[in-house]
Structures are given as structure tokens and as C-alpha cells.
Amino acid sequence: MGNICGGNHQSLSDRKASRASSGGKGSKKSHRPPRNCTSGVKRLVKPRWKSQERLTKAELEEKRAVFWDTQPHYGGSKVIWDAIKAAAEADLPTACLILESAGVIIAEEDMRVCYDERGCRYDLPVFVLSDPDNLAADSIPTIAEE
């Protein structure tokens, strides 16, 4: 999991300018703008999934912490990773606002694939986006008998 970001990506504004200058008026080529959630074109949803091994909330939180601590070191923008993390931990309307403000383009409605404005791809595992349907109850600590 991670991102795929090569060095030859044009910014979104450079690509738009390039298309505008090459197409001009009367061009039969049409291009739709990137989809985002505040324009209503894409609807953001939390993914539903089941874990293969039963995880407690504490184990899931540890797994998420490891992902968020290590993932930005494999590439992509730290600012975008921070925005994606904040969106993953927020309610859906707030997540949409965070992603739009950061210029993150949502490729999948469950947020598992996102792009930044430079074209870098950010792949997210489902365990950082939602809790599994089969989340195990945390064990209740027992008081040791003396």
C-alpha cells in the first residue's frame, strides 16, 4: 500500500492550460474536471469490511498508528498524507471539506485511492478508513486475586 508518484507529473493547472491551448474553441474534445465530494459529483462512503483475524479496537488502533507513522516515508507529500489522515478520522462531511481544501482528488468513493494535484497516487488500506464489521470486544482486565 502506498503511493505511486513519478517525477514527470504535470500539475493540474498545467494540464488544464495545455488542454486549453491545444483544444481551443471549436474543438470536439471534451474533458470533465476531476471529481470531488463537495461538488456532489462523487459521494464519499466508509468502506464495509471483515477482518480475517478478529481484531480488538486496541489492536486496530495500533495497526493504524503503524501505517500512519510509516507511510509518508515511502513518498508523496507530508501535507497530503496529513490531510488524508485527518479525513479518514473525521465524519464524512468534514472529510470531504478536508480533502477538497488540500486539493486531494478522490478516485474511489470509499477513499481507498486518492490523488494529489500533481498526480501522485495514495492507496489506503480499509483498516485506516473504517472499523471491521467483526471487531472483537476489548478484553476487560480482571483484578488479580491476592
Side-chain angles (χ1 to χ4, degrees), residues 3 7 11 16 31 33 39 43-44 77-78 98 106 112 138:
N3 76 347
S11 72
K16 285 180 180 177
H31 183 339
S39 68
R43 196 183 110 217
L44 194 60
S77 165
K78 172 107 172 77
I98 292 167
I106 304 162
R112 287 189 291 169
D138 285 330

Side-chain angles (χ1 to χ4, degrees), residues 47-143:
R48 291 195 63 185
W49 62 285
K50 285 188 178 184
S51 177
Q52 290 182 345
E53 73 268 359
R54 300 245 327 162
L55 295 172
T56 64
K57 186 70 170 173
E59 291 169 331
L60 182 61
E61 292 301 324
E62 176 62 26
K63 197 171 180 177
R64 287 175 177 166
V66 169
F67 175 82
W68 292 120
D69 287 344
T70 59
Q71 199 55 44
H73 300 290
Y74 293 106
S77 165
K78 172 107 172 77
V79 172
I80 298 298
W81 278 117
D82 289 345
I84 291 172
K85 179 182 179 187
E89 295 171 348
D91 60 77
L92 294 177
T94 305
C96 285
L97 292 173
I98 292 167
L99 295 172
E100 176 119 333
S101 297
V104 176
I105 300 163
I106 304 162
E108 299 287 334
E109 69 180 5
D110 61 7
M111 233 176 77
R112 287 189 291 169
V113 178
C114 300
Y115 293 88
D116 65 15
E117 292 177 330
R118 295 180 347 203
C120 292
R121 179 178 169 141
Y122 298 81
D123 290 314
L124 301 170
V126 292
F127 67 82
V128 300
L129 299 170
S130 65
D131 293 346
D133 291 337
N134 61 341
L135 187 65
D138 285 330
S139 59
I140 300 170
T142 59
I143 300 174

